[in-house]
Amino acid sequence: MSPFTRFAMGPVRTRFAPSPTGYLHIGGVRTALFNWLLTQRYGGQFILRIDDTDAERNRTEALQPILDGFKWLGINWDEGPEIGGNCGPYFQSQRQHLYDEAAKRLVASGHAYPCVVTADELRVDRETSEKAKKPYIHRGPRRDADPASNVALLAERRLPIRLKVPVGTTIVLDDLIRGHVEWKADDLGDPVILRADGRALYNFATVVDDAAMKITHIVRAAEHLSNTPLQLVAYAALGEPIPHFAHVPVVNEPNSKKKLSKRDMAKFLTSEIRDKLERIGWTKEQIAARDDLNPATVAFYKEMGYLPASLINYLARLGWSMDDHSEIIDIKTMVANFGLERVNSSSASFDPDKLYWVAGEYMKELPLSEKIAGCLPFLVRAGVLPDQPSPFQLEQLERIIVASGDRIKLFSDILQYGTPLISPVVSYDEKAVNKRLRKDGVAPVLAAFAEVMQTMEPFEPHALEAALQALSLERGTQPSLLIHALRVACTGIEVGPGVYDVLGILGRDESLRRIRSCPAFI
RNA sequence: GCCCCCAUCGUCUAGAGGCCUAGGACGUAGCCCUCUCAAGGCUAAGACAGGGGUUCAAAUCCCCUUGGGGGUACCA
């Protein structure tokens, strides 16, 4: 029976189990996305379960940024933090009793046994094997003891519990992405599933929880493939049905075959990225105060003004394809076509350039009102506009955004195009001034055009263009001479929207003021 | 060391034995459009890791090598 037949027979239940680390990692969210897409496609539930068993590394406040990241992206969960569900609690730290109970049950049934070997003895054994260049496979002395005596032993001493790997067998997995994989049980040591203090180990807790939560499809990063045989043994010992597994390829660093790791995220906060953040209004102190502001996290893209749908689109295409040509795939189409059978099995490098392009494609389609709403906070943060802009300022912003057109790919791009028009020119680009203003013949024609502007009616782009063409013809100069001079005079820079739009947005008085005080005349 | 996974342009991918002188996309370069920058149009460079098989035929199947990754924990 194909796994896809089984999808139709009951709801698909998938889960994502992040640790509360304070940020949502790009690689993690991609895995979560595949889980979510699967449930959207086949109908089912996506569950968020918080893996907070590692007490030292966990802060409760560190969960919020993760939930915020999912919310921003529109990846909603059907069960989990904030909303609960029938299989709670959804925090592993609150489920210890379940792991404890399950482990004891396995001892009683002879599938597990208490470990009487001390950590020191284990270390010595391991080193001995290593010296002999032999793999170390641990089998504890109580392994073959009578289950009842093991139970009795546990009643008097607190000991770690190990799972019995069935010797002589072959453990097989038919992974939905990797295909058929097998391991010889004899290559695997008996793993500890419960520490002496009762805390469960990952490989056991995850199985107990996935079984209890009736997870049908375990879609997780490929780095967990090696954990799977042990987990399969645990399922069998527990007498639980084995879910489908799909190991998705990991996300690599840009232009690299190295995994995009949580551990060395700091290195992604390059000076270039710092500059970018500062340019959009972040102070050095604010950047330093947030360790999640770097390109390996979802929060970074939110702060840079990426449209969430564009990140989803990019991440889905990283490792998955719909067909041989589609790049921009809206969420509805994605859901309707998503399937594990078109997820690649090799790892993929994260490409910021392509993401930027995707972001631009989405921005092109965004309705004007949403563009304005999205850009505004960036201008406010940078101090270009007040918290409560006047109707005039809002109208001006709208005209700037319209005039900027496809130049705005990220909301933060408004700063590059909007600031020179909203704020007074504080500095002129030296190169632009030399090239466009301090040039023979520019000053007189600029002055003459200012005269025309003074009285022309109406003061709007079409009329301005006609007037400029007429003046250029009359004086025998190239229109472009005046056009370029005007842009630099009015904005200080050489790039930006069409110059007639620039003048129209500034208005007659402001345009004249800027022209008359520009470096062409001093 | 041992076990497992992966391998097509710089990057993301298409390709399930003949449709492949390997297709698309991002990026790069050039040209066109043009008041600059974007956007758009056109063009170019650019890949089957290597070696053996199997087959009339291999990017596609098998084996080996190489390279990358993961595991080998009382981490997750």
Side-chain angles (χ1 to χ4, degrees):
Chain A
M1 178 166 61
S2 123
F4 300 103
T5 333
R6 270 165 79 173
F7 287 177
M9 292 167 66
V12 171
R13 286 175 63 84
T14 66
R15 51 72 168 170
F16 182 66
S19 300
T21 49
Y23 52 84
L24 188 52
H25 188 257
I26 280 291
V29 81
R30 202 275 237 106
T31 303
L33 174 62
F34 286 173
N35 275 284
W36 181 83
L37 282 169
L38 198 66
T39 60
Q40 301 302 303
R41 167 75 173 82
Y42 293 100
Q45 295 88 42
F46 171 61
I47 293 135
L48 215 50
R49 181 174 74 216
I50 307 306
D51 186 347
D52 55 352
T53 50
D54 192 348
E56 302 99 70
R57 223 154 63 186
N58 282 307
R59 305 163 281 157
T60 25
E61 72 276 12
L63 175 60
Q64 202 53 46
I66 293 174
L67 302 183
D68 290 346
F70 279 121
K71 286 178 195 168
W72 178 65
L73 287 168
I75 298 179
N76 53 302
W77 55 102
D78 301 294
E79 296 171 27
E82 295 182 350
I83 56 171
N86 294 329
C87 299
Y90 292 90
F91 291 81
Q92 289 189 308
S93 59
Q94 295 167 27
R95 300 175 65 86
Q96 294 294 342
H97 61 287
L98 295 170
Y99 313 138
D100 189 69
E101 186 276 324
K104 298 219 164 105
R105 189 151 45 90
L106 291 185
V107 175
S109 64
H111 289 96
Y113 60 93
C115 182
V116 293
V117 182
T118 66
D120 279 344
E121 288 168 329
L122 274 174
R123 188 173 40 75
V124 171
D125 286 351
R126 230 190 312 271
E127 282 166 7
T128 311
S129 301
E130 208 168 298
K131 270 185 208 133
K133 291 205 188 287
K134 285 210 166 143
Y136 176 63
I137 314 283
H138 181 81
R139 306 273 180 241
R142 303 289 304 179
R143 192 186 149 88
D144 299 314
D146 172 47
S149 73
N150 278 338
V151 171
L153 178 61
L154 271 175
E156 63 193 60
R157 285 174 65 193
R158 301 189 57 141
L159 293 167
I161 296 174
R162 284 186 188 267
L163 183 66
K164 274 192 210 174
V165 168
V167 294
T169 63
T170 298
I171 301 163
V172 307
L173 168 70
D174 285 297
D175 190 278
L176 264 24
I177 292 173
R178 312 268 138 182
H180 187 85
V181 186
E182 25 177 271
W183 295 264
K184 285 189 204 57
D186 293 359
D187 290 333
L188 275 19
D190 291 342
V192 171
I193 55 176
L194 208 68
R195 299 173 172 100
D197 64 8
R199 284 149 62 222
L201 273 94
Y202 167 79
N203 273 327
F204 190 59
T206 197
V207 169
V208 170
D209 287 340
D210 287 338
M213 294 180 178
K214 305 269 180 278
I215 305 300
T216 60
H217 293 71
I218 296 180
V219 180
R220 64 187 4 172
E223 61 207 78
H224 288 289
L225 186 60
S226 316
N227 292 323
T228 311
L230 257 16
Q231 294 179 15
L232 290 172
V233 170
Y235 275 102
L238 254 9
E240 294 286 353
I242 291 173
H244 296 291
F245 285 87
H247 287 94
V248 308
V250 300
V251 177
N252 292 331
E253 288 175 15
N255 286 307
S256 153
K257 295 287 177 205
K258 264 197 68 185
K259 188 184 137 191
L260 187 62
S261 161
K262 296 182 195 186
R263 287 170 190 88
D264 41 32
M265 272 202 330
K267 80 173 181 202
F268 297 116
L269 186 58
T270 59
S271 58
E272 195 188 335
I273 298 294
R274 271 173 209 282
D275 288 351
K276 246 183 209 171
L277 286 165
E278 283 177 33
R279 235 177 293 135
I280 65 168
W282 286 80
T283 65
K284 285 186 171 63
E285 294 70 36
Q286 286 172 322
I287 297 169
R290 285 194 45 178
D291 55 2
D292 63 337
L293 277 186
N294 74 67
T297 73
V298 169
F300 174 80
Y301 298 94
K302 178 171 184 244
E303 299 300 349
M304 289 300 292
Y306 281 74
L307 251 6
S310 68
L311 225 207
I312 294 265
N313 191 148
Y314 174 74
L315 254 18
R317 276 286 290 102
L318 192 64
W320 173 77
S321 64
M322 190 171 88
D323 50 39
D324 62 351
H325 64 277
S326 300
E327 297 292 344
I328 303 302
I329 308 168
D330 64 78
I331 196 77
K332 266 186 76 180
T333 309
M334 201 183 286
V335 164
N337 290 280
F338 185 79
L340 264 8
E341 64 287 352
R342 286 193 72 91
V343 173
N344 246 347
S345 45
S346 53
S347 60
S349 307
F350 183 77
D351 182 356
D353 289 339
K354 184 152 180 182
L355 170 58
Y356 185 67
W357 173 76
V358 173
E361 294 300 300
Y362 273 82
M363 195 60 85
K364 282 181 194 170
E365 301 300 323
L366 196 71
L368 178 60
S369 61
E370 290 176 44
K371 259 195 207 184
I372 296 169
C375 287
L376 189 54
F378 287 88
L379 292 164
V380 173
R381 165 181 278 282
V384 175
L385 283 180
D387 266 322
Q388 299 291 324
S390 67
F392 168 76
Q393 287 172 316
L394 284 176
E395 197 205 313
Q396 194 190 27
L397 175 58
E398 174 170 343
R399 295 182 70 181
I400 292 169
I401 290 173
V402 170
S404 298
D406 298 338
R407 290 171 186 84
I408 296 175
K409 295 178 160 73
L410 313 178
F411 289 134
S412 60
D413 289 336
I414 189 62
L415 290 168
Q416 182 186 346
Y417 298 107
T419 308
L421 296 175
I422 298 169
S423 304
V425 179
V426 287
S427 72
Y428 292 85
D429 179 64
E430 193 60 31
K431 261 181 69 186
V433 168
N434 289 334
K435 187 168 159 201
R436 304 298 191 186
L437 290 180
R438 294 206 179 100
K439 192 173 163 184
D440 285 348
V442 165
V445 72
L446 203 50
F449 191 64
E451 285 304 308
V452 175
M453 282 169 67
Q454 184 97 48
T455 55
M456 64 174 292
E457 283 300 340
F459 191 85
E460 51 87 29
H462 279 294
L464 284 159
E465 176 164 15
L468 186 143
Q469 294 292 342
L471 182 76
S472 298
L473 196 63
E474 185 193 315
R475 305 189 55 116
T477 57
Q478 284 295 320
S480 61
L481 186 79
L482 196 42
I483 285 168
H484 290 128
L486 281 167
R487 182 182 290 101
V488 176
C490 291
T491 66
I493 54 175
E494 247 193 312
V495 300
V499 80
Y500 307 115
D501 286 324
V502 167
L503 296 174
I505 289 164
L506 290 173
R508 190 196 313 267
D509 295 346
E510 180 63 14
S511 295
L512 285 173
R513 180 160 49 240
R514 291 186 181 196
I515 292 166
R516 286 177 175 146
S517 63
C518 84
F521 303 113
I522 42 179

